[in-house]
Structure formats: structure tokens, C-alpha cells
């Protein structure tokens, strides 16, 4: 077992200087380096924002931030998805505290922008109606428009709003953008690119949008977001009108220039092949876009996941970073048999972070397609499942670390890395911490890529699937300790009573059990954490004053099973992942020991866990007939994938139960201990991560929530003190 520092050596880099680069050759040895139609779109604008010939509305308009001021959480705004470029999800606001949190009241609420949509009729007129009616008509006009003939899932309202200049900006699952007065919720504008008319968004998680991005230069203010059909849209932040000088009519075709990408193409499941489902990152005058490219493929060839920075004014490409190295480039030897020529998907589907002072953007990449079988892409597959620091000026890689070699588990880096300044061993370090689905935090000097604590390459189980060659070792951080349960043994199974343990042992018969990184199998491998984590897109929050990292996670499992590809699909993969039976416990009993979800606070100065608490009492489990007599303590499990919000006074996090009538709520936790201090009812389960802002001296908290029933539309709900 060798530490990272034992394996350092110099190596030339690709596309620029490599600093702190760690890689492994295809032979499995570690080779580190330390070199210091817009025409079809619809626009709705409030009267106050139209030209002077239109009568202005009488409601007061939101105040505008001074032209020279830069939006910041320090001034009560929330200008990026994570609050700042460091993705801390932290605000210094303190008006709302433990003593008054329970008194919060709904200041305003508004339905998703997907509530009312429109359809352009053959005669050029516009029909606006309830979105369900619009979707029904679109489906009638083209029954093959959407995968499985399922219309957009408007309940997936997972956006975190931005607030700048007294206005909130969001987007919806159908890629509709909207702005609201931050005080009253009065609608200011709506822009509908109508991307849903093109087809179903790519990937298994369909119809997801997590937010927008904001840019300002003098009086020029813009909002950007990616669409489900693969465009980057730019609109005027004041009016919602597309920016004529940006791309073609206010949008850039993100499929243009991508090998193998063809607009209008469908995959074998009848979904689009390229989408954007997370917000771009705006750094200076650059707009850096993520991408979603499907892992659900029947052929080994897939679109590559280029990461591109666009000019914020014109939409012109400023640089392109290609996560799969080309011939002769650094890392090409980790793709055997020339597989780097046809493999694809390696990209960033989630959020990103940046350090403007260092001139670096941090890219958390995902798995190569397909996720669960790698016989057609043997080798470690750089730069999949890596954290990559890229020069903001040139787009060249500066350093990287690969968290998973030759991924077979869909262990994408799921969230924006958190930037935090810490003191480790008496030395001040500008650090970056990446939370992962597999339950690890990987921490580095964000300038050089040097790990804060040693990383160890440890042997992991081999694969016995024909043609597959799993990596012999995987990187394990020595600090911090895992924040979530990992791997499956009999000892991990529920043992509330001897009878329940016997049930659990019987339930896992016929499945393969093993430690973390046990490969897929033909009988089905029980994989823990599962494909949703551990941690997921909601990520973590950081307190810059204390150095504490707060991570919500779930104790979930998945069955990882591959079988010979169906010849009827006419593909060229040898094996494909398929759904199959899952271990079943009687009467709704859990298969594993609790907690089933948790919040973990980690001191990033030392790498020690400060505290851990289950998130939620878990009464749906504790009150099961076989468990109720045991009077169990809280077991967790009362969460969605929404993330945490941190203020100067509180850790704020949504739960699905525990409200005054047993329903969902927003909870305030003590940052130092994890003790619950207060809560306020939510009108539906949280969908997005909350944010906070200040307008006219008054603090607000905003969050998107699902409807209380499947037929109820989701809402953006904003709280404040009476």
C-alpha cells in the first residue's frame, strides 16, 4: 500500500502545464506528476418592462443594484447557484436565527413557470393554456415525440433561484426561464424556448433543470441557461428578451462541433442525445456550460462531452476542453485498443466551481458510457470520474485527480466541489473538497492538486464478466473518514431482531455481496452506496468561518447487473446493464441497519468528523408493526435530494416529514452540534436546494417544492419573518 507522496514524479502535460497531476497507466501502475428558432420561442414580459408605449404597471419595481457593485452574498444577494463561485452555499445573513426561525411565514408563493405554456398554431396564432393541455396536443400531433409517450415531468422543479437587484431568476423542467419581484413574487417576465417540443431530454433522469446563471457588465445584465434540447440561451435580465447579438437570435447550438452529434437524432429509447440540465457557470466574461449525454446506449460509440467556455457577450467559443484525451495526449494510454477514438459522455453534468484569483475552474466529471460495462473501453479511462482544474484563460488542464479508475458503478462526481481555506498541520492551504456518491470526501490544495492528506491505492475485487477488466486498485482517502456506509456484508444487514436479520439474509440470497468497488456481475451485485449516493447533486455546504463541511447523504443501495446484449437491439456492446429483481423485505422493513440518511459535519482543518445526525425521525420505518415495540431512536430516511443552506446563524435543510401534521418541513440545525433548533412547514416536499437573500433590510428564504399530490403543480415558496 503506497501513499500519494511515495509516487510523485515529473511528467509533461497535455494542453499546457501540469501541476500536481496524478494518473495511472493502463497497466495499473501509478504515474503521478508534480509540475509546479428563437423564432418558435415565446416571451412574456410584465408591462413595466415593455417599451414606453405600453402602459406601466402600478406595482413598485424592484430596486436595481448599483452598476459598479458586484453581486455578492455579502450584500444580501445570491448571484450563482452555490451562492458564490466557491459553491459554499453560505450567506452571512443572520436576521433569521434559531430563536425566530419557527415564526417564519410564507411571504409569497408562485407556481412553476411550466403551469401555463403555449403552442404556435399553423396560422401563426399562439394558444396559451394549462401545460397538461399543451402537452396533450403536442402528443396528439406527434405520438412519437416523447420517450414512452410521457410528457415533461413538471414536478421536477429542482431549480435554486438566483437573486440580484431585487429579482429572483429561475428555470423549469421544461427549460422555461422566469423572473419575479423578490419582495412580492410579482412576475416580471417569462421566456419559453419551447425545447420540450423537440423531444425527451437525455439520460435516465428526465426533465431536470437546476437553475440559471447571471452576468453583468455596466447596464448590460443577462441570464443564461441550457435547454433540454441542447441550446445555451441568453436573455436580458430586465426584460427576458433574447439577446440578438448572442449566437443566433439569443441562443448557441451546443451540439455544433461535437463529433457524432446530430440535431434531432434520437437514441434507441427515443430520447434526445444531448441536453443541459444544470446551470452554466459565469466567471468574468466566460459562460462555461455543463452537458448531459446518455449512458443508456447499445453501441460503444457515444458523443464526447466537450466542456466549452463561451463569450458572455457574443456566444463565441473562447476555449474547449476535451476530457477524453486524443492520440498522443496525456492520458491517452489509459484508453486501450484506441477506445478514446469512439468512447464518449465523459463531461460535467452537474455544477462547477471556480477560483478567479488562481484563474482556475474545477470540473467534476462523470463516468464513461456505458456506466456498468467497460469491456469496450479497457484501461483507467482518464479523465472520467475526475476532478480537473482547468485554466480559465486557455482551457488547458493544470492538474487532476481521478477518483474512480475504469468506472463501473455510475459513481459520477455528482456535485460542485467546495472551495475552502483551511489550516492543515500549521500550514494555510487554499483547498478544494469534492464530495462523492461513494461516500468519500477528496480534499486537495486547489492550486497544485496536492492531497491534503495521503491517498492510498488499495486492491479491489476483480470482475468475472467476460471481456471486462476492472481496475486492480482504487484511490482511498486516509482522511476524512467516509461519511456514508460503504459495501455490503452480512454484518451490515438489519438486525433489529434475530427474526429480521434472518429475513435480511434470505433476501440477499443469490446476489453478490462485497466491499466498495465490487464490480457488476451477471447474478447482480449489491452496490452500496447506490447510483444516487451517498452524496448527489445537492452537494455540501461550507462555513468559511469554522472550516466545517456539511454533507447530506443517503444510505441507499442498488443492484448492479449486466447480461449479454440483446441481439434484437442491433448494437455492438457485448454486455448491457439491465434492471432486475431487487432484495425484498416483508412488510416494508429496511434491508440494512440505520441511519438511512444523515447529515455529517467534517472539520476540514483536521479531517475529523465533528458530528453526525440522522436526518429525520424515520417514523415510517420506526412505526412498522415489527419495529414499533422496539421504540427505536431516530433512523433518518426523511429526505429528498435537495441540499443544505448555511447562514451565519444556522444550517438549514428540508425534510419530508415531521411537520405540524406530519408533512414536509424546513429545519434549522445548530451548526456546532447538529441539534434541531426549529422548523417551519413546507407546502410540499422540497425539490430544489434553498437559498436566502436580503431586500429592503428583510431576509427571505426561497425554495422550490413539489405539489402535495402528483397532480398538484410545484411551487417556488418564499419565507420571511412577520
Amino acid at each position: 500500500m503506497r501513499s500519494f507522496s511515495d509516487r510523485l514524479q515529473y511528467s509533461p502535460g497535455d494542453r499546457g502545464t501540469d501541476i500536481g497531476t496524478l494518473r495511472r497507466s493502463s497497466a495499473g501502475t501509478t504515474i503521478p506528476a508534480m509540475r509546479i428558432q428563437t423564432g418558435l420561442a415565446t416571451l412574456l414580459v410584465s408591462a413595466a418592462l415593455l417599451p414606453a408605449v405600453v402602459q406601466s404597471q402600478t406595482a413598485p419595481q424592484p430596486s436595481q443594484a448599483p452598476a459598479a457593485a458586484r453581486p455578492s452574498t455579502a450584500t444580501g444577494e445570491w448571484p450563482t447557484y452555490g451562492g458564490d463561485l466557491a459553491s459554499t452555499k453560505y450567506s452571512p445573513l443572520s436576521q433569521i436565527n434559531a430563536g425566530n426561525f419557527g415564526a417564519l411565514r410564507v411571504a409569497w408563493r408562485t407556481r412553476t413557470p411550466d403551469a401555463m405554456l403555449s403552442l404556435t398554431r399553423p396560422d401563426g396564432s399562439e394558444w396559451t393554456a394549462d401545460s397538461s393541455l399543451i402537452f396533450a396536443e403536442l402528443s396528439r400531433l406527434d405520438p412519437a415525440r416523447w420517450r414512452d409517450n410521457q410528457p415533461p415531468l413538471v414536478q421536477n422543479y429542482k431549480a435554486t433561484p438566483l437573486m440580484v437587484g431585487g429579482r429572483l431568476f429561475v428555470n423549469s423542467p421544461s427549460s422555461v426561464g422566469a423572473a419575479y419581484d423578490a419582495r412580492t413574487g410579482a412576475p416580471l417576465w417569462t421566456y419559453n424556448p419551447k425545447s420540450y417540443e423537440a423531444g425527451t431530454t437525455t439520460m435516465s433522469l428526465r426533465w431536470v433543470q437546476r437553475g440559471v446563471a447571471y452576468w453583468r457588465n455596466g447596464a448590460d445584465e443577462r441570464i443564461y441557461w441550457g435547454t433540454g434540447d441542447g441550446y445555451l440561451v441568453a436573455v436580458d435580465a430586465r426584460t427576458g428578451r433574447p439577446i440578438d447579438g448572442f449566437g443566433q437570435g439569443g441562443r448557441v447550438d451546443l451540439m455544433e462541433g461535437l463529433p457524432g452529434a446530430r440535431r434531432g437524432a434520437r437514441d434507441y429509447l427515443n430520447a434526445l442525445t444531448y441536453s443541459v440540465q444544470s446551470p452554466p457557470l459565469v466567471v468574468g466574461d466566460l459562460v462555461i456550460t455543463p452537458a448531459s449525454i446518455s449512458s443508456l446506449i447499445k453501441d460503444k460509440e457515444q458523443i464526447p462531452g466537450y466542456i466549452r467556455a463561451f463569450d458572455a457577450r457574443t456566444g463565441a467559443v473562447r476555449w474547449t476542453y476535451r476530457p477524453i484525451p486524443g492520440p498522443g495526449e496525456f492520458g491517452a494510454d489509459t484508453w486501450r485498443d484506441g477506445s478514446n477514438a469512439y468512447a464518449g459522455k465523459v463531461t460535467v453534468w452537474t455544477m462547477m466551481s471556480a477560483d478567479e484569483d488562481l484563474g482556475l475552474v474545477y470540473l467534476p466529471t462523470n463516468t464513461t458510457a456505458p456506466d456498468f460495462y467497460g469491456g469496450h473501453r479497457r484501461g483507467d479511462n482518464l479523465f472520467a470520474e475526475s476532478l480537473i482544474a482547468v485554466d480559465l484563460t486557455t482551457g488547458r488542464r493544470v492538474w487532476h485527480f481521478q477518483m474512480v479508475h475504469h468506472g463501473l458503478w455510475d459513481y459520477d462526481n455528482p456535485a460542485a466541489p467546495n472551495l475552502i481555506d483551511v489550516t492543515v498541520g500549521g500550514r494555510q492551504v487554499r483547498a478544494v473538497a469534492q464530495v462523492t456518491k461513494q461516500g468519500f470526501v477528496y480534499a486537495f490544495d486547489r492550486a497544485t492538486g496536492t492531497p491534503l492528506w495521503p491517498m492510498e491505492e488499495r486492491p479491489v475485487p476483480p470482475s468475472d464478466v467476460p471481456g471486462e477488466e476492472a481496475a486492480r486498485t482504487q484511490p482511498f482517502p486516509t482522511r476524512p473518514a467516509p461519511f456514508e456506509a460503504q459495501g455490503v456484508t452480512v454484518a451490515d444487514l438489519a438486525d433489529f431482531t434475530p427474526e429480521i436479520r434472518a429475513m435480511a439474509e434470505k433476501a440477499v440470497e443469490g446476489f453478490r455481496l462485497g466491499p466498495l468497488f465490487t464490480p457488476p456481475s451477471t447474478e447482480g451485485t449489491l452496490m452500496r452506496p447506490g447510483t444516487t449516493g451517498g452524496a448527489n447533486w445537492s452537494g455540501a455546504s461550507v462555513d468559511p468561518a469554522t472550516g466545517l463541511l456539511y454533507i447530506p447523504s443517503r444510505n441507499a443501495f442498488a443492484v448492479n447487473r449486466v447480461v449479454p446484449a440483446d441481439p434484437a437491439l442491433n448494437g455492438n456492446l457485448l454486455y448491457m446493464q439491465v434492471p432486475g429483481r431487487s432484495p425484498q423485505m416483508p412488510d416494508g422493513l429496511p434491508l440494512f441497519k440505520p441511519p438511512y440518511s444523515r447529515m455529517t459535519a467534517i472539520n476540514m482543518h483536521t479531517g475529523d468528523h465533528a458530528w453526525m445526525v440522522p436526518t429525520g425521525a424515520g417514523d415510517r420505518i420506526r412505526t412498522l408493526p415489527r419495529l414499533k415495540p422496539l421504540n427505536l431512536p431516530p433512523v433518518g430516511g426523511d429526505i429528498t435530494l435537495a441540499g443544505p443552506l448555511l447562514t451565519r446563524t444556522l444550517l438549514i435543510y428540508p425534510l419530508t416529514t415531521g411537520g405540524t401534521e406530519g408533512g414536509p418541513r424546513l429545519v434549522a440545525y445548530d451548526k456546532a452540534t447538529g441539534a434541531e433548533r426549529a422548523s417551519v412547514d413546507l407546502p410540499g416536499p422540497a425539490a430544489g436546494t434553498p437559498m436566502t437573500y436580503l431586500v429592503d433590510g428583510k431576509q427571505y428564504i426561497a425554495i422550490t417544492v413539489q405539489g402535495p399530490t402528483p397532480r398538484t403543480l410545484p411551487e417556488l415558496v418564499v419565507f420571511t419573518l412577520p
Side-chain angles (χ1 to χ4, degrees):
M1 189 179 301
R2 297 175 297 164
S3 70
F4 177 91
S5 58
D6 293 332
R7 307 191 309 273
L8 294 179
Q9 69 180 44
Y10 292 99
S11 169
D14 65 313
R15 307 186 183 96
T17 303
D18 289 307
I19 304 175
T21 300
L22 172 65
R23 69 182 177 95
R24 295 166 76 248
S25 73
S26 56
T29 57
T30 305
I31 308 175
M34 284 292 293
R35 281 187 58 203
I36 309 286
Q37 125 177 54
T38 318
L40 295 178
T42 300
L43 172 67
L44 300 177
V45 188
S46 70
L49 298 175
L50 290 173
V53 294
V54 180
Q55 183 177 2
S56 64
Q57 56 182 56
T58 57
Q61 292 302 291
S63 61
Q64 303 298 314
R70 185 170 188 173
S72 169
T73 54
T75 57
E77 296 178 297
W78 194 271
T80 72
Y81 176 88
D84 48 37
L85 293 177
S87 297
T88 62
K89 300 186 182 73
Y90 173 85
S91 170
L93 298 179
S94 59
Q95 188 178 99
I96 297 171
N97 55 50
N100 58 28
F101 189 90
L104 288 173
R105 297 292 182 266
V106 174
W108 57 268
R109 56 200 289 185
T110 185
R111 297 191 303 171
T112 170
D114 285 342
M116 299 285 287
L117 298 177
S118 66
L119 179 68
T120 303
R121 294 174 52 80
D123 62 2
S125 62
E126 200 73 11
W127 171 37
T128 300
D130 185 284
S131 58
S132 63
L133 298 176
I134 299 298
F135 295 151
E137 177 64 7
L138 288 170
S139 182
R140 185 191 69 81
L141 293 171
D142 182 3
R145 184 184 304 273
W146 294 309
R147 176 181 166 186
D148 303 324
N149 199 27
Q150 293 295 313
L153 305 175
V154 298
Q155 285 285 1
N156 278 351
Y157 192 18
K158 296 180 179 178
T160 292
L162 307 188
M163 198 292 283
V164 180
R167 301 152 298 173
L168 260 62
F169 303 100
V170 297
N171 63 351
S172 72
S174 295
S175 300
V176 178
Y180 305 96
D181 186 296
R183 303 175 189 78
T184 66
L188 301 177
W189 55 257
T190 299
Y191 177 66
N192 180 5
K194 296 190 174 182
S195 65
Y196 49 84
E197 294 186 358
T200 299
T201 58
T202 191
M203 288 299 292
S204 54
L205 295 177
R206 299 172 246 174
W207 305 107
V208 173
Q209 287 287 343
R210 298 182 177 91
V212 301
Y214 173 87
W215 174 84
R216 179 170 68 202
N217 183 271
D220 189 358
E221 295 182 280
R222 301 183 183 184
I223 298 296
Y224 307 90
W225 68 95
T227 65
D229 61 345
Y231 285 95
L232 174 62
V233 171
V235 303
D236 188 310
R238 298 164 299 179
T239 66
R241 179 171 180 164
I243 304 295
D244 290 335
F246 186 88
Q248 297 293 319
R251 67 180 187 177
V252 170
D253 186 348
L254 296 174
M255 298 184 74
E256 187 174 309
L258 293 180
R262 182 169 55 86
R263 181 149 296 283
R266 304 290 182 97
D267 64 19
Y268 81 103
L269 296 169
N270 193 34
L272 300 175
T273 58
Y274 189 99
S275 300
V276 178
Q277 299 178 331
S278 295
L281 185 70
V282 170
V283 189
D285 291 335
L286 298 178
V287 183
I288 306 170
T289 57
S292 288
I293 302 170
S294 183
S295 59
L296 304 177
I297 58 176
K298 63 182 180 67
D299 297 298
K300 62 185 180 181
E301 297 82 11
Q302 181 57 301
I303 299 169
Y306 294 176
I307 304 297
R308 288 161 294 179
F310 297 89
D311 187 289
R313 295 176 175 82
T314 67
V317 176
R318 295 272 290 271
W319 53 254
T320 298
Y321 175 71
R322 298 170 176 83
I324 296 179
E329 294 181 339
F330 180 88
D333 66 333
T334 66
W335 298 83
R336 291 165 59 185
D337 308 318
S339 54
N340 54 332
Y342 56 77
K345 195 196 84 165
V346 182
T347 190
V348 177
W349 59 259
T350 187
M351 282 63 71
M352 298 165 275
S353 304
D355 186 324
E356 287 187 283
D357 291 337
L358 291 175
L360 298 175
V361 59
Y362 300 92
L363 309 179
T365 60
N366 61 354
T367 312
T368 311
D371 286 339
F372 305 101
Y373 181 73
H376 303 281
R377 50 172 176 86
R378 295 184 298 165
D380 281 353
N381 306 147
L382 285 175
F383 296 91
E385 290 160 304
S386 301
L387 180 61
I388 311 165
V390 169
D391 188 294
L392 279 165
T393 302
T394 65
R396 293 177 175 175
R397 178 175 55 86
V398 176
W399 62 261
H400 83 277
F401 185 93
Q402 188 177 50
M403 283 77 173
V404 182
H405 311 313
H406 189 76
L408 298 172
W409 302 272
D410 190 17
Y411 279 160
D412 306 334
N413 285 325
N418 303 101
L419 309 190
I420 179 172
D421 296 341
V422 295
T423 302
V424 179
R427 185 174 66 93
Q428 292 185 345
V429 183
R430 291 177 293 185
V432 55
Q434 179 68 61
V435 299
T436 63
K437 289 184 180 181
Q438 57 268 34
F440 283 132
V441 177
Y442 295 85
F444 311 91
D445 182 314
R446 65 178 182 263
T448 67
T450 305
L452 298 191
W453 299 281
M455 303 283 183
E456 295 177 345
E457 289 285 340
R458 299 177 184 173
V460 292
S463 173
D464 60 2
V465 175
E468 183 60 86
E469 294 184 21
R472 299 173 186 175
T473 65
Q474 295 290 353
F476 285 70
T478 58
R479 277 181 177 272
F483 58 82
E484 192 51 84
Q486 296 175 328
V488 179
T489 68
V490 170
D492 299 319
L493 301 177
D495 61 353
F496 301 108
T497 67
E499 179 187 21
I500 291 174
R501 166 55 68 83
M503 293 175 179
E505 291 184 13
K506 184 172 180 59
V508 300
E509 288 179 357
F511 294 94
R512 181 171 297 184
L513 313 185
L516 183 69
F517 298 121
T518 297
S521 58
T522 55
E523 68 266 38
T525 298
L526 289 188
M527 163 183 157
R528 193 171 66 136
T531 56
T532 58
N536 208 288
W537 55 265
S538 55
S541 58
V542 169
D543 191 327
T546 64
L548 288 179
L549 182 73
Y550 299 89
I551 312 167
S553 64
R554 56 177 54 206
N555 179 5
F557 74 94
V559 177
N560 200 343
R561 179 171 178 254
V562 294
V563 299
D566 183 352
L569 293 176
N570 196 31
N572 59 28
L573 292 179
L574 295 179
Y575 280 78
M576 295 177 66
Q577 191 259 358
V578 294
R581 73 181 185 96
S582 184
Q584 297 295 318
M585 290 286 282
D587 305 323
L589 289 165
L591 182 63
F592 291 98
K593 296 175 182 178
Y596 303 110
S597 65
R598 67 183 83 191
M599 182 74 70
T600 305
I602 298 177
N603 184 333
M604 293 304 296
H605 297 289
T606 65
D608 295 323
H609 286 210
W611 52 258
M612 182 279 290
V613 296
T615 39
D619 285 347
R620 64 183 177 82
I621 296 171
R622 296 169 66 241
T623 58
L624 291 171
R626 294 178 187 269
L627 298 181
K628 189 173 183 179
L630 303 180
N631 194 27
L632 295 173
V635 297
D638 297 341
I639 65 168
T640 65
L641 289 180
L645 166 65
L646 207 58
T647 70
R648 181 174 297 174
T649 56
L650 296 170
L651 168 64
I652 300 167
Y653 185 65
L655 299 179
T656 56
T657 64
T660 53
E661 297 183 3
R665 59 191 177 122
L666 194 61
V667 181
Y669 292 93
D670 188 297
K671 295 194 298 181
T673 67
E676 184 177 319
R677 293 305 186 197
S679 70
V680 60
D681 288 356
L682 291 173
T689 296
M691 52 79 77
T692 188
Y693 62 91
L694 188 76
V695 176
D696 295 338
K698 197 173 186 65
Q699 185 180 354
Y700 298 80
I701 296 174
I703 187 171
T704 54
V705 301
Q706 299 172 7
T709 70
R711 294 185 176 274
T712 308
L713 287 168
E715 295 181 294
L716 171 60
V717 182
V718 179
F719 294 90
T720 194
L721 294 170

